[in-house]
Amino acid sequence: MDTLRALLETQPLFTLFLTIGLGYVVGEFSIKGVSLGSGAVLFVGLVIGGFAPKSSPPALLGTLGLLLFLYGIGIQYGAQFFKGLTSADGLRANAAAALGVVGAGFVSLALVPMFGVKLDESLGMFAGSGTSTATLQAIIAATKSDGAAVGYSVAYPFGVAGPILLIYMLSALLKVKVEQPPEKLIETAEIALKNGAFIGLRFSELTARLPAGVAIAAVRREHHNLLPGDDLVLHTDDVLLATSMDPAMLKDAAALVGELQPGRMTSHREDLDYARVFASSRAVVGRSLRDIAFPEGVICSIAHVRRGDADILPSSDLILEFGDRVGLLANRAQMKAIRRFFGDSIKGTAELSFISIGAGAAVGLLIGMIPIPIPGVGKLTLGLAALLLVALYLGKIRRSPPFVWTMPLSANLVLRNFGLTIFLAQVGIASGPKFFATVGATGISFLLCGVAILLALVLITAFFCLWVFKLPFDATVGIISGATGNPAILAFANRVAPTDRPDVGYAMIFPSMTIVKILFAQIAVALVGG
């Protein structure tokens, strides 16, 4: 055992990656569908740190990991975050989650005089109940002690499993039945123009009178398929290739314009052919469809966009992202030039600009150093919370030449999850010795304190969502997931409520509640700690 301890303490990088590997093995174990996932890395780190007290890698390594995690979150969810700050439902959702977070924070502060818990340990339990590693880092920096990591590690299991159990209980108590929405796929229809009211109109006049959600991708006239311009004058028996996410809308369009005549267009590809390309070129990524300038002489129409597992009906303000699969209609002779223009590279969709990451992170870190005076509190710095805010803004604007701020989703997930894993491993190993000493001295009392903080967070949030703001249940479970923070909770919420609202709620809430948690902890240290 002494030989193993000496190996771990003299080879910190080996210890770090051993912790990560073993942590994910432990995280795979599931009890009735509940698993710790990446959170298990922290507990393995605690065990290794307790066994080999001098094995901790440098703290800067953990901070770097957290930086990558926060930057990736901001870039991905920037648009949803700012939308949540302006929409009525988004404001209500953020208000409900903020009340839950602040309520949980006050419960954690009440533990200090009531049970004699140290402030850093109590705030650490607040961070662990909300599974917020960013808050943990802010508390450690503000208190200049590792007691917060001990409280965090004690409360973290309840922060993961507790919300899952409470969401299940809410679903059973309210007897909620959320129907699985239909798969988002674009449907097509070929409609022959028969209605005299449309004959002789320009194409732009026709599209303005079609049902909302119906688009025309091409027109067939005199045995030739062509891409319509706004000034194209419509003739009798023109065949329109209509697209929509709703088959009922296509039937309404057919009844309005003429009659369905399938097979007239799709079986003839000598003039227009269909191709699907990957968006991986800087010429298109980060640009709205209206701003895309095709090469001279190239004429094509974007029929649909597939992002992840969902189809998106193209609109002029739709902004392309790395890895979008774009369905195009164009002449076969121009396909090679079109593919070259879009990039059409799977490899390209996994690449990212380290220039953009470096510039964005540097600006966020610089702003985080600026002291902000708060009356009655003193001067506070936002630290990594500023980096998250900058990343959210960059994720919203997507590009500002010459920088493309967005990242391919696959690269973003790998970067931020690896960063989070490094942070959890480093903090766990560093906190191991004190964790076992504290738990041995306090026994079950710390565990009960963590449960009390978590109950305040989840129940206050759920109460305001469901009974004060009257938000739908599927939106509520997404908001609870964002307020508590752990992706495992969101995964369970998606099983209970299989719509897109849990994901949207999580995206709107998680970044803002991360900032609220960090600011609450910093203010608490400044006021109570002083």
Side-chain angles (χ1 to χ4, degrees), residues 353-375:
S353 171
F354 287 100
I355 297 176
S356 298
I357 293 177
V363 171
L365 291 171
L366 184 62
I367 295 175
M369 301 176 194
I370 300 173
I372 302 173
I374 299 179

Side-chain angles (χ1 to χ4, degrees), residues 88-415:
D89 284 345
L91 291 173
R92 286 193 286 267
N94 274 278
L99 288 167
V101 168
V102 173
F106 279 117
V107 170
S108 69
L109 293 180
L111 299 176
V112 176
M114 291 176 64
F115 299 101
V117 180
K118 294 180 181 178
L119 177 64
D120 57 351
E121 294 171 342
S122 178
L123 289 176
M125 286 188 281
F126 166 66
S129 297
T131 64
S132 175
T133 51
T135 305
L136 171 60
Q137 192 274 342
I139 298 167
I140 292 174
T143 59
K144 296 180 174 61
S145 71
D146 57 359
V150 176
Y152 181 92
S153 58
V154 171
Y156 186 93
F158 297 102
V160 176
I164 291 174
L165 177 61
L166 290 170
I167 288 174
Y168 174 80
M169 292 175 63
L170 275 174
S171 176
L173 180 65
L174 300 176
K175 298 180 180 179
V176 175
K177 291 184 179 180
V178 180
E179 297 294 332
Q180 174 74 42
E183 190 176 4
K184 292 183 176 180
L185 297 174
I186 288 183
E187 304 286 344
T188 62
E190 298 176 32
I191 306 172
L193 180 59
K194 300 291 186 180
N195 189 341
F198 292 95
I199 296 170
L201 293 181
R202 290 193 299 271
F203 181 75
S204 59
E205 295 172 320
L206 166 72
T207 55
R209 295 170 63 176
L210 290 175
V214 175
I216 305 299
V219 175
R220 182 169 181 80
R221 174 180 295 173
E222 298 176 354
H223 308 295
H224 292 282
N225 297 335
L226 55 92
L227 297 176
D230 287 342
D231 294 330
L232 176 71
V233 177
L234 297 169
H235 295 172
T236 304
D237 290 329
D238 282 348
V239 180
L240 313 175
L241 180 61
T243 62
S244 178
M245 304 292 293
D246 187 350
M249 289 186 177
L250 291 177
K251 291 182 179 180
D252 292 341
L256 177 66
V257 173
E259 62 186 34
L260 292 171
Q261 290 192 359
R264 292 279 300 277
M265 299 185 70
T266 54
S267 59
H268 299 279
R269 299 194 174 191
E270 61 275 7
D271 298 304
L272 290 178
D273 203 354
Y274 174 84
R276 180 179 285 186
V277 299
F278 283 99
S280 60
S281 166
R282 291 178 179 272
V284 297
V285 171
R287 296 186 183 275
S288 61
L289 297 189
R290 72 164 68 89
D291 295 330
I292 293 178
F294 291 104
E296 186 176 356
V298 171
I299 300 175
C300 76
S301 171
I302 297 178
H304 77 98
V305 175
R306 187 163 181 82
R307 180 171 298 164
D309 296 327
D311 285 342
I312 303 174
L313 195 67
S315 60
S316 60
D317 58 351
L318 176 65
I319 297 176
L320 292 182
E321 298 182 0
F322 278 110
D324 283 349
R325 288 157 290 174
V326 184
L328 301 165
L329 293 173
N331 189 280
R332 290 180 182 178
Q334 297 179 334
M335 285 301 182
K336 185 177 291 187
I338 291 172
R339 292 184 184 277
R340 188 165 53 248
F341 176 70
F342 276 88
D344 197 28
S345 170
I346 298 177
K347 179 182 177 182
T349 64
E351 294 177 349
L352 61 155
S353 171
F354 287 100
I355 297 176
S356 298
I357 293 177
V363 171
L365 291 171
L366 184 62
I367 295 175
M369 301 176 194
I370 300 173
I372 302 173
I374 299 179
V377 175
K379 292 183 177 180
L380 297 179
T381 57
L382 290 177
L384 289 182
L387 176 121
L388 177 58
L389 285 171
V390 170
L392 288 166
Y393 175 72
L394 297 179
K396 176 180 179 293
I397 63 174
R398 288 182 169 86
R399 70 182 293 161
S400 51
F403 297 109
V404 176
W405 303 110
T406 58
M407 287 185 277
L409 180 59
S410 56
N412 188 315
L413 289 172
V414 170
L415 192 69

Side-chain angles (χ1 to χ4, degrees), residues 417-472:
N417 288 338
F418 182 62
L420 177 61
T421 301
I422 289 177
F423 174 75
L424 291 174
Q426 191 278 326
V427 168
I429 297 170
S431 306
K434 189 169 184 179
F435 169 76
F436 287 102
T438 303
V439 172
T442 62
I444 198 173
S445 61
F446 262 33
L447 302 180
L448 295 177
C449 290
V451 171
I453 296 170
L454 175 68
L455 286 173
L457 173 58
V458 175
L459 295 181
I460 292 174
T461 302
F463 172 76
F464 278 94
C465 283
L466 293 172
W467 289 286
V468 177
F469 297 131
K470 308 294 185 182
L471 296 175

